[in-house]
Amino acid sequence: MNRDNVYTTATIRSGELAAAEACGLDAKQLMQRAAQACVQKLQQVCPAPARILVLCGPGNNGGDAWFVARYAQQAHYQATVVAAKPKSELAKQAAAAWSEADGRVIDLAETLSVNEFDWVVDGLLGNGVSREVSGHYQRWIETLNQSAIPVLSIDIPSGLDSDSGQPQGLAVRARDTVTMIAWKPGLLTGAAADYVGRLTLADLDVGRAFEQQQSRLGHILTDNVAERLLQVTRADSAVHPSKASQQNVHKGTYGHIVIIGGGPGMAGAAILAGQAALRSGAGKVSVLCHPDSRAIIAQTQPELMVESFAEGRHRLEQATVVALGPGLGFSPENSLAQDTWRQVISHCVERNVPLVLDADGLNWLAHADHRSMSLSAHTVLTPHPAEAGRLLGCSTAAIQNDRVRAIQQLIENFSSTIVLKGAGTLVGAPQQSLWFCRRGSSALATAGTGDVLTGIIATLLVGRTPVEAAAAAVWLHARAGEIAALDGERGTIASDLLPLIRQLRNAPNY
Ligand SMILES: NC(=O)C1=CN([C@@H]2O[C@H](COP(=O)(O)OP(=O)(O)OC[C@H]3O[C@@H](n4cnc5c(N)ncnc54)[C@H](OP(=O)(O)O)[C@@H]3O)[C@@H](O)[C@H]2O)[C@@H](O)CC1
Ligand SMILES: [K+]
């Protein structure tokens, strides 16, 4: 089974029973397998005879939890059950199984000190959460989150929306989550990383049948896939596949990247993009900027060829790839930036030059009537949620509330490859399933890291399709962020990524 596929919650909810039936199982047996998978995880993280508190909600997530209590007790754990009244038929059957074995149940309305337990099993709410968490659910989730006691969440942390990865008011912050049958987007993007803890997929031995019956939404950008993308180059490319051992190369071999940005006071953005392009292996990098920024950019990084846009416009003719936007400037009265933007876009569209649009490059796109203009199929847009909101005419919160829908809409509107930045970065392109990047660090949420990503994408566009380049770059950037954060997340800055990008680009696998 390909354990990297991601399915919408609707697909999982509508398809899980058919997959189980194809494997000769009924719903109750599937639930029992889910519970067994959770007990196996418990045995790894806290061996018996630990004291566990099992929280059971009204639906089938609660049903899983009732069976967890039963099996954990059989495995010599000391299980205490706190439960809502079971509503679903399966949850009733599962509750009956517990009652036959032990019978003691504490009502969810009561209070209990959680500190006397070693672990909590969270089966309050699963993928059927349908509204904001309130009442006793809210109180219990607050209690768990305020205590230091580790939590194992069944299927998804209670309260987290399994499509958006956003808490419905609030959600359990789990140490571990064991999710059933297949990955859901809400475990992988948005705020998910703050809630899910370590993720385990339990396919309950029906994953293969499920995969055969259902179509996926996307797949996880695994290390293996990313490493392969970092190696792969198009046959017609100037980049030789075995470049590591190739001696007979010149600076044009790895492409000429032209970065356009660096308005007054924003030279740093163009510098970082240029440095990232150099450090990810570009042979030649030109920066076309505002005349006031020329000297500082050239002095900071002498390997960059720096000209004002008016002087260096001919560089566009030589460009293998163009990156438009880092520090370009955006305000209605900034006609220089706007004219530059228009000329560069026209050039790239007419000549089919691969283009990365970032930062103010995206803001000008949102400002333009994009319906009357078409971008080339070799374009990568890299919005963060606020830029995505501007491009789609909605709020940042609306983007975060449904990141999957947002990237799908951006792909449709702009017929381009899209990188929707933010925790759980998504990458997608027309007629392709989405990539979900699980790598990264909150250290990347600082000024300038987006400029670095732009430089990496631009370089990797030489010899790769836009979606391959974008996915490989997102992974490389995320890995560099993780490594940088090993020295302490706080205080990590964008330029800390640069030597790590070089290191990763020279790793033996790619
Ligand atoms: N089907 C299968 O074979 C398998 C299913 N599996 C498991 O089932 C889970 C899905 O089960 P589910 O569909 O019963 O949904 P679930 O998440 O338990 O919640 C629904 C209940 O919660 C209630 N409720 C909703 N929101 C609420 C809120 N904010 N605050 C309070 N209450 C709220 C809602 O009430 P209602 O909206 O009806 O009033 C309803 O009573 C899935 O995540 C996985 O763990 C696995 O065992 C594999 C086999
Ligand atoms: K749960």
Side-chain angles (χ1 to χ4, degrees):
M1 177 197 175
N2 178 353
R3 298 173 68 88
D4 307 325
N5 287 343
V6 181
Y7 296 85
T8 64
T9 303
T11 305
I12 288 179
R13 286 176 67 85
S14 64
E16 61 193 356
L17 280 184
E21 274 165 24
C23 300
L25 299 171
D26 62 23
K28 185 174 168 187
Q29 289 168 315
L30 196 62
M31 183 173 270
Q32 288 168 329
R33 287 194 180 185
Q36 280 156 357
C38 293
V39 173
Q40 273 170 17
K41 178 52 71 177
L42 264 184
Q43 286 170 325
Q44 288 168 15
V45 294
C46 79
R51 298 158 302 171
I52 58 164
L53 174 64
V54 183
L55 300 176
C56 309
N60 290 345
N61 196 250
D64 293 350
W66 287 103
F67 277 126
V68 168
R70 175 83 183 96
Y71 299 145
Q73 193 192 45
Q74 285 172 346
H76 310 294
Y77 286 90
Q78 303 168 55
T80 299
V81 169
V82 169
K85 196 169 160 31
K87 279 196 204 165
S88 76
E89 199 43 51
L90 282 174
K92 286 177 189 166
Q93 291 178 31
W98 171 254
S99 301
E100 283 161 22
D102 178 296
R104 278 172 300 160
V105 178
I106 298 168
D107 193 278
L108 203 66
E110 292 186 31
T111 42
L112 195 69
S113 164
V114 294
N115 294 327
E116 62 198 68
F117 298 96
D118 299 308
W119 270 73
V120 173
V121 177
D122 155 38
L124 287 174
L125 297 164
N127 62 33
V129 67
S130 57
R131 55 186 176 276
E132 290 242 322
V133 171
S134 61
H136 299 308
Y137 298 90
Q138 179 182 0
R139 183 173 55 78
W140 272 103
I141 294 173
E142 279 168 359
T143 302
L144 297 185
N145 289 352
Q146 281 159 13
S147 83
I149 188 162
V151 178
L152 170 81
S153 282
I154 303 175
D155 205 24
I156 186 151
S158 294
L160 202 65
D161 183 281
S162 58
D163 278 329
S164 70
Q166 292 298 101
Q168 300 298 294
L170 89 164
V172 168
R173 289 183 189 271
R175 180 78 60 91
D176 275 275
T177 298
V178 177
T179 202
M180 309 308 162
I181 301 179
W183 298 112
K184 298 103 192 164
L187 296 166
L188 307 169
T189 197
D194 293 338
Y195 293 90
V196 296
R198 294 171 299 207
L199 281 170
T200 305
L201 173 64
D203 86 334
L204 313 182
D205 291 331
V206 305
R208 186 185 296 276
F210 181 82
E211 199 170 77
Q212 282 165 353
Q213 292 169 349
Q214 307 297 333
S215 44
R216 70 181 180 191
L217 170 70
H219 39 190
I220 293 173
L221 181 53
T222 60
D223 293 358
N224 282 345
V225 166
E227 285 165 5
R228 188 171 50 74
L229 292 177
L230 284 163
Q231 285 173 341
V232 166
T233 52
R234 278 206 309 268
D236 62 349
S237 148
V239 182
H240 194 282
S242 59
K243 65 181 181 346
S245 59
Q246 199 188 7
Q247 302 298 318
N248 182 24
V249 294
H250 59 85
K251 64 188 176 192
T253 307
Y254 302 135
H256 182 172
I257 312 298
V258 177
I259 293 165
I260 295 141
M266 293 177 293
I271 294 170
L272 283 167
Q275 289 173 325
L278 289 167
R279 291 303 187 187
S280 37
K284 233 176 173 182
V285 183
S286 294
V287 174
L288 305 185
C289 62
H290 190 277
D292 293 355
S293 303
R294 248 182 74 170
I296 178 76
I297 297 175
Q299 281 158 15
T300 307
Q301 192 68 50
E303 294 84 351
L304 296 171
M305 297 183 292
V306 192
E307 287 153 293
S308 71
F309 186 72
E311 289 166 354
R313 201 183 177 287
H314 65 283
R315 293 276 176 220
L316 284 178
E317 309 289 334
Q318 303 160 0
T320 321
V321 174
V322 171
L324 173 60
L328 180 66
F330 174 76
S331 64
E333 59 278 8
N334 190 342
S335 57
L336 177 59
Q338 185 169 24
D339 291 347
T340 303
W341 186 87
R342 284 197 181 285
Q343 288 176 42
V344 174
I345 294 277
S346 305
H347 175 88
C348 292
V349 171
E350 279 162 24
R351 312 284 175 91
N352 216 12
V353 179
L355 169 69
V356 189
L357 264 184
D358 184 32
D360 290 333
L362 296 169
N363 290 331
W364 283 114
L365 181 65
H367 182 74
D369 180 9
H370 60 80
R371 284 175 206 287
S372 65
M373 60 182 295
S374 58
L375 296 167
S376 110
H378 289 100
T379 306
V380 181
L381 312 187
T382 61
H384 56 54
E387 287 159 351
R390 273 171 230 140
L391 288 168
L392 292 178
C394 64
S395 66
T396 308
I399 299 291
Q400 290 299 77
N401 279 336
D402 199 345
R403 286 171 59 82
V404 168
R405 181 81 205 104
I407 191 170
Q408 288 170 331
Q409 195 65 56
L410 288 164
I411 293 167
E412 194 182 319
N413 288 8
F414 296 101
S415 304
S416 300
T417 295
I418 308 289
V419 174
L420 181 55
K421 296 189 289 201
T425 292
L426 303 177
V427 180
Q431 278 95 48
Q432 308 230 7
S433 66
L434 300 176
W435 296 98
F436 289 77
C437 181
R438 284 181 63 191
R439 290 243 176 232
S441 157
S442 58
L444 289 169
T446 58
T449 55
D451 305 315
V452 170
L453 178 64
T454 294
I456 305 173
I457 297 175
T459 302
L460 295 184
L461 268 169
V462 183
R464 290 175 189 78
T465 66
V467 75
E468 285 171 350
V474 161
W475 182 89
L476 193 75
H477 185 255
R479 278 294 292 134
E482 286 177 357
I483 298 168
L486 294 176
D487 290 335
E489 282 193 8
R490 202 173 304 144
T492 299
I493 56 173
S495 52
D496 294 339
L497 302 178
L498 298 167
L500 300 169
I501 291 162
R502 179 183 180 202
Q503 210 181 82
L504 286 163
R505 286 293 281 146
N506 288 287
N509 287 347
Y510 37 96

